Amino acid sequence: MGKKLFIKTYGCQMNVYDSARMADLLAPLGYGLTEDQSDADMVILNTCHIREKAADKTFSELGRLRAQRHERQQAGKDTIIAVAGCVAQAEGAEIMRRVPDIDIVLGPQTYHRLPEMVARATRARAQKLMQPSAFGGERKFGAGILDTDFPPESKFDFLPETTTEGSTAFLAIQEGCDKFCTFCVVPYTRGAEFSRPVAQIAAEARHLVARGAREITLLGQNVNAYHGEGPDGATWSLARLVRYLADEVPDLLRIRYTTSHPRDMDDALIAAHGELPQLMPFLHLPVQSGSDRILAEMNRQHTADHFRRIVDRLRKARPDLALSSDFIVGFPGESDADHRATLRLIEEIGFAQSFSFKYSARPGTPAAMLEKQVPVAVMDARLQEMQALLESQLMAFNRATVGKRVPVLFERAGKRPGQLTGKSPWLQPVHANLSADCLGREIEIEITELGHYSLGGQPTDHQPAAGHAVFDQPERAIA
Ligand code: SAH
Ligand code: SF4
Ligand code: F3S
């Protein structure tokens, strides 16, 4: 009989990808995904450690899960509980200590071993469940498997073909980070930079397209630092990989990549934005701060002007390119002048969308040891000011799309009956009244409605026969 697997995913798109791959790995063991956590035979918390409270959230969620398991045990059932992801990597030993009846704790680089861990946990739990426990019931028993190695083998060599379906998909091509920004835990939780070979990526892309994907987002913590082995044995850059996928994977209409670092935005990649219609005119390029002093303290190894020049070159190559970014307010020592410099940069560039965060001191990172931590009230005020500016830019960008004809890739049923929802090339959610056979197709839509974060419109009379047509492009909303 089929067993039910529930995975709760926190954090970035890489975690979303990893969760899907863990489900793929467990399918041969008879596990199918369920949406109902309370009746799952196995629960995986795929955790994120990027900002504070992540670990607290994991521990409180584990408390709930254990109570749920106890209830299921009363009914003669059992639940395997696993913690995966970046909290597991950073705090594995602490989890084992504080939650002695946990079954599995595994890091992001060891999940290819999950089937074996689950088999061991199943055996251990079955044996223990048949015996009365000295701790007053089976509830206190856990298989206690900890695997947070950075193994020499690449997990990607052991993953089965993906069963992911849908018109948009993620594909991990690079993982880890060697940049060591002073605020960030990622180099410690994901390990050193690693790039998958081109052939493996192309095979996965073809497979995803065969299962319905028309848009693929290439993922990496430092995706534009990609340097994988090409089919010719040479080391390929991201630009070369994207060009290859655009040429070699028919029916792949849209390619995106995230997350990039300004330092690795090379000429070839910028040129690709001007030359490949499949490469979407939207780029997430985190800058973090507009103050050179703070950027240096962050060890970003670029200046605000360096970022401005990259954006200029990108917009020369692809005039309708829109940008999103990440910002941190209240990095230790950030003065009012530093904050103003960031606001100035935001005003100059004009972002279509952005993510802004209060600095969070992460244990073990160099910035956590810096003096002059910024008071929370100051951070709050700066964040509010920044978010108001970013929000006005987002609204202006969306407003500028009204009245335009844009290609929309429809991904799913909309909120209202008869409606489908999809994305514009600039990642704006767009809904329109269309029949279900339009799912997975790129349809030209005239935008007539402006919602808070989404747009609405109607299909035009001029649909592209296939592939790519030339569409109106929204002018850049912000000069
Ligand atoms: N690999 C990506 C980002 C990873 S984390 C990159 O290099 O840009 C996503 C975002 O979280 C970061 O861009 C940063 O803005 C934010 N972030 C990371 N560590 C943080 C911290 N300690 N406090 C607040 N925000 C943080
Ligand atoms: Fe973190 Fe910096 Fe690496 Fe991005 S580049 S993952 S912010 S250390
Ligand atoms: Fe979080 Fe790990 Fe991603 S810390 S942002 S899940 S790389």
Side-chain angles (χ1 to χ4, degrees):
M1 211 182 65
K3 288 173 279 188
K4 296 183 198 129
L5 169 66
F6 180 87
I7 308 182
K8 185 156 185 177
T9 309
Y10 304 84
C12 60
Q13 289 113 322
M14 187 72 90
N15 260 12
V16 175
Y17 176 84
D18 290 345
S19 290
R21 305 320 308 270
M22 287 192 272
D24 290 340
L25 279 158
L26 293 180
L29 273 65
Y31 284 94
L33 280 173
T34 173
E35 306 272 300
D36 177 12
Q37 173 179 322
S38 66
D39 196 31
D41 301 296
M42 174 162 181
V43 176
I44 303 175
L45 300 180
N46 195 10
T47 58
C48 170
H49 204 232
I50 202 79
R51 279 171 290 275
E52 66 194 333
K53 304 225 171 77
D56 296 351
K57 250 192 271 171
T58 305
F59 285 113
S60 62
E61 190 65 29
L62 280 173
R64 256 197 304 280
L65 279 175
R66 291 154 76 208
Q68 238 165 43
R69 167 156 82 188
H70 186 55
E71 270 174 38
R72 292 190 85 232
Q73 285 173 336
Q74 307 303 313
K77 299 173 184 174
D78 195 23
T79 310
I80 295 176
I81 300 179
V83 181
C86 292
V87 175
Q89 187 65 44
E91 307 212 23
E94 179 69 6
I95 297 172
M96 300 299 278
R97 195 181 65 75
R98 280 179 53 185
V99 192
D101 57 358
I102 190 95
D103 295 304
I104 300 171
V105 175
L106 76 162
Q109 303 310 342
T110 54
Y111 66 74
H112 55 300
R113 300 174 182 166
L114 191 56
E116 183 201 322
M117 292 181 225
V118 173
R120 271 170 62 202
T122 307
R123 266 197 311 276
R125 292 199 66 84
Q127 282 164 10
K128 208 72 185 179
L129 278 172
M130 283 186 280
Q131 302 160 11
S133 156
F135 306 109
E138 301 75 24
R139 193 154 87 89
K140 294 271 188 253
F141 173 76
I145 299 164
L146 172 68
D147 191 351
T148 51
D149 281 0
F150 287 123
E153 79 266 17
S154 155
K155 68 179 173 225
F156 293 109
D157 295 340
F158 298 87
L159 299 180
E161 277 193 340
T162 179
T163 58
T164 300
E165 285 180 337
S167 46
T168 62
F170 291 136
L171 200 176
I173 65 165
Q174 180 279 341
E175 198 172 352
C177 181
D178 297 339
K179 300 268 189 315
F180 291 93
C181 300
T182 54
F183 54 80
C184 184
V185 293
V186 170
Y188 312 98
T189 63
R190 292 276 166 172
E193 266 179 24
F194 169 80
S195 296
R196 294 175 74 184
V198 172
Q200 207 181 62
I201 295 166
E204 193 168 322
R206 285 194 188 96
H207 188 69
L208 285 166
V209 169
R211 299 182 69 83
R214 293 294 169 267
E215 171 179 306
I216 292 180
T217 303
L218 306 175
L219 295 181
Q221 267 87 36
N222 258 281
V223 74
N224 59 342
Y226 177 84
H227 57 281
E229 190 193 338
D232 55 359
T235 300
W236 284 27
S237 66
L238 178 62
R240 204 159 167 201
L241 171 70
V242 169
R243 220 170 261 282
Y244 182 77
L245 294 176
D247 290 344
E248 298 292 323
V249 186
D251 293 335
L252 179 56
L253 299 178
R254 295 176 163 199
I255 302 174
R256 304 180 188 274
Y257 59 92
T258 199
T259 295
S260 297
H261 193 291
R263 266 170 62 196
D264 298 310
M265 236 27 248
D266 61 26
D267 292 343
L269 190 54
I270 292 174
H273 275 278
E275 292 160 12
L276 301 175
Q278 291 95 329
L279 198 49
M280 288 292 100
F282 184 91
L283 182 65
H284 182 59
L285 193 59
V287 62
Q288 316 297 355
S289 170
S291 153
D292 290 345
R293 201 176 63 80
I294 294 296
L295 287 169
E297 289 278 316
M298 287 176 164
N299 189 33
R300 291 289 291 179
Q301 303 197 26
H302 63 79
T303 62
D305 272 345
H306 181 197
F307 185 82
R308 287 184 181 93
R309 279 198 298 276
I310 293 168
V311 172
D312 280 350
R313 283 158 59 213
L314 278 162
R315 283 177 169 160
K316 269 204 192 85
R318 180 86 207 226
D320 64 332
L321 186 107
L323 288 144
S324 71
S325 197
D326 291 344
F327 300 90
I328 295 177
V329 298
F331 184 83
E334 186 190 66
S335 68
D336 214 44
D338 295 321
H339 174 59
R340 303 264 141 240
T342 308
L343 296 180
R344 213 162 41 240
L345 181 73
I346 294 172
E347 270 161 9
E348 282 168 28
I349 302 279
F351 292 94
Q353 197 190 327
S354 278
F355 304 91
S356 44
F357 313 99
K358 276 187 278 187
Y359 168 72
S360 160
R362 310 307 293 133
T365 59
M369 260 84 85
L370 292 174
E371 287 167 18
K372 295 198 286 185
Q373 301 281 330
V374 175
V376 176
V378 175
M379 283 206 245
D380 282 335
R382 287 181 187 165
L383 186 68
Q384 236 179 36
E385 192 179 8
M386 181 180 287
Q387 289 188 337
L389 176 59
L390 292 169
E391 171 86 9
S392 71
Q393 294 193 338
L394 179 144
M395 292 307 286
F397 183 78
N398 284 348
R399 214 175 295 120
T401 318
V402 176
K404 307 282 179 196
R405 297 175 306 136
V406 303
V408 177
L409 176 63
F410 284 93
E411 297 166 17
R412 58 177 68 89
K415 282 201 188 105
R416 299 206 198 109
Q419 235 182 30
L420 298 184
T421 298
K423 295 271 167 55
S424 79
W426 304 277
L427 273 185
Q428 296 149 298
V430 179
H431 54 82
N433 289 328
L434 287 167
S435 56
D437 65 342
C438 294
L439 279 176
R441 283 170 53 197
E442 204 174 50
I443 306 233
E444 188 183 83
I445 298 291
E446 182 173 353
I447 304 296
T448 51
E449 277 171 60
L450 176 68
H452 200 61
Y453 292 107
S454 66
L455 301 167
Q458 289 88 37
T460 66
D461 299 336
H462 304 284
Q463 292 306 325
H468 302 276
V470 178
F471 296 98
D472 287 355
Q473 293 164 348
E475 288 116 37
R476 240 181 339 117
I478 302 111

